[in-house]
Amino acid sequence: MTDIFPLSLLLGTAFIFLNKLLVRLGYKNLRDMPQTLHTKSISRLGGIAIYASLLSVSLLSTSDNYEFLRIMLFCSIPLFLIGLLDDFNIQISPPVRMIVALPTALMCYFFLGIEAYSIEIPLLDELFKYKFFSIIFICFALVGITNAFNIIDGMNGLVLLYSITICLSILFSAELLKTTEIYYTLVAVLFSILGVFILNFPLGKIFIGDGGAYILGLIISITVIKIYQINSLSPWYVLLVLIYPTTEILSSIFRRLISKLSTTEPDNYHLHHLIYKRITKIGIISERVKHSIVTALIFSFYFPFVFGANYFSDDHLVLKFMCVIFVVFYFIFYLLLAPKNFRFNL
């Protein structure tokens, strides 16, 4: 299992040198988009290092403990490929991405049994009695959370550290690991991330790209949902573990609707962007330092909630309360950091 780390690290390093070679040949990987904060050509193929290391080890191993991971990687192929197209600078519109991502969600339902049974809201829970609604709900939930991971992937180490935090917090909660397949999946994902993380944070030598953000969003969310199913937990457990990207994407949709902007177009008004701008104003010049500060600050914000989700995994009221507290604090921080003219437009 530990072979995953050196393989991920080796592949990530190879992509860094490949990017340097391409720069010398005149090809630079630069993006002119509102959310882009980097000005140098940097490889966006870290997602391949994560996916390939997981796939190689899970396929080469004869252990049945990798069966869950193998099926999950198979199901993720459409989603991963659509992300890679953008990483190779082939632009795909957001609606098309969502449509292409749906087969992945459907396969997760049929081959992995990923399903939602309720959201503990009485009237809405009645709808889950209808299988069609249950399928539609889980498909849109999976597509939404994978896109949410892509949204928060805007700083060195941000989405990688968040994924690491989730993996470690669950692994430390031994009572939740009732199957060896879940344990092996979490450890494998953790080592695959670490191989790229040390290249990405704080130096920013490689990015995971859309493909990497999508695959991490899918693997993390499916694993968390499976833990919810196996342990018969509250759906609020899943929400609290994934509360940061979930709040980010829902607030982005709300913000754009209120501002009469397209809900699918990228912008630079996410929480990490606002923190970055505030840090820039106080005179910090180094990009690496600014990225490190933003990642550390946001980590200190979501860490208690991710840890709390696994510590209070069977306490429905505490889980609900912590979800509400996170959302309240998120919007307080957001409004304090948002430009005055932006707040006025809202």
Side-chain angles (χ1 to χ4, degrees):
M1 186 183 297
T2 53
D3 293 342
I4 298 175
F5 171 75
L7 182 55
S8 176
L9 178 62
L10 179 63
L11 288 172
T13 304
F15 289 134
I16 292 173
F17 282 103
L18 175 61
N19 181 74
K20 291 181 181 293
L21 176 60
L22 291 175
V23 170
R24 291 183 180 180
L25 294 175
Y27 174 79
K28 294 184 178 180
N29 185 17
L30 297 174
R31 304 296 175 91
D32 184 19
M33 301 181 74
Q35 76 274 30
T36 301
L37 297 174
H38 301 85
T39 57
K40 295 182 179 180
S41 176
I42 299 174
S43 174
R44 293 170 55 87
L45 302 182
I48 297 180
I50 293 174
Y51 189 89
S53 60
L54 288 172
L55 186 63
S56 299
V57 174
S58 63
L59 288 178
L60 293 175
S61 173
T62 58
S63 173
D64 291 336
N65 291 318
Y66 283 113
E67 185 66 16
F68 180 75
L69 179 60
R70 278 193 288 263
I71 296 175
M72 187 159 46
L73 292 172
F74 166 75
C75 293
S76 68
I77 290 175
L79 182 67
F80 183 58
L81 291 180
I82 198 68
L84 280 184
L85 289 177
D86 183 83
D87 297 333
F88 284 105
N89 215 13
I90 300 174
Q91 301 298 317
I92 308 293
S93 67
V96 172
R97 292 190 189 205
M98 294 180 186
I99 292 172
V100 175
L102 284 175
T104 285
L106 282 171
M107 285 191 288
C108 290
Y109 173 82
F110 286 109
F111 294 118
L112 293 172
I114 299 302
E115 187 176 3
Y117 310 114
S118 75
I119 52 176
E120 293 189 357
I121 299 177
L123 293 178
L124 291 178
D125 279 355
E126 291 298 315
L127 295 174
F128 283 93
K129 294 178 180 179
Y130 302 96
K131 185 64 67 174
F132 179 75
F133 177 81
S134 179
I135 294 174
I136 294 298
F137 180 87
I138 198 64
C139 284
F140 277 96
L142 288 176
V143 171
I145 197 62
T146 52
N147 277 279
F149 267 66
N150 194 33
I151 284 178
I152 65 173
D153 183 31
M155 296 284 164
N156 294 341
L158 189 54
V159 74
L160 292 174
L161 184 57
Y162 179 66
S163 301
I164 289 171
T165 302
I166 292 175
C167 289
L168 287 176
S169 64
I170 296 175
L171 288 170
F172 283 131
S173 304
E175 66 275 8
L176 296 177
L177 301 173
K178 293 183 178 179
T179 68
T180 54
E181 283 188 330
I182 297 299
Y183 172 79
Y184 270 69
T185 296
L186 286 169
V187 174
V189 172
L190 176 62
F191 279 122
S192 70
I193 295 173
L194 287 174
V196 175
F197 179 72
I198 62 176
L199 300 173
N200 172 261
F201 184 82
L203 301 179
K205 295 294 185 180
I206 192 171
F207 301 149
I208 62 171
D210 286 13
Y214 285 158
I215 197 65
L216 285 180
L218 184 73
I219 290 176
I220 294 295
S221 59
I222 287 177
T223 304
V224 171
I225 293 172
K226 203 65 180 178
I227 291 172
Y228 144 78
Q229 291 177 311
I230 293 171
N231 293 276
S232 300
L233 301 175
S234 166
W236 291 82
Y237 164 77
V238 178
L239 179 58
L240 187 54
V241 173
L242 303 173
I243 191 68
Y244 169 43
T246 300
T247 304
E248 189 69 69
I249 193 171
L250 291 178
S251 67
S252 297
I253 293 172
F254 174 76
R255 180 180 72 244
R256 292 166 185 174
L257 287 174
I258 294 298
S259 302
K260 298 180 180 180
L261 300 173
S262 171
T263 57
T264 59
E265 291 301 316
D267 62 29
N268 58 356
Y269 284 104
H270 300 296
L271 182 61
H272 56 273
H273 288 125
L274 298 184
I275 298 175
Y276 175 89
K277 292 173 184 178
R278 186 59 61 93
I279 292 173
T280 301
K281 284 184 178 180
I282 65 177
I284 297 177
I285 299 175
S286 171
E287 286 297 314
R288 290 175 180 173
V289 172
K290 285 190 285 189
H291 281 243
S292 299
I293 293 175
V294 173
T295 298
L297 287 175
I298 293 184
F299 167 78
S300 65
F301 178 33
Y302 65 67
F303 173 76
F305 295 91
V306 174
F307 178 82
N310 290 284
Y311 187 81
F312 299 105
S313 59
D314 59 349
D315 194 322
H316 303 334
L317 290 178
V318 172
L319 293 171
K320 292 178 181 179
F321 178 73
M322 292 186 72
C323 285
V324 172
I325 292 298
F326 181 93
V327 172
V328 169
F329 275 96
Y330 175 94
F331 281 104
I332 289 175
F333 294 148
Y334 192 95
L335 291 175
L336 288 174
L337 293 169
K340 292 182 179 179
N341 60 333
F342 178 73
R343 293 202 298 267
F344 178 77
N345 289 336
L346 291 180

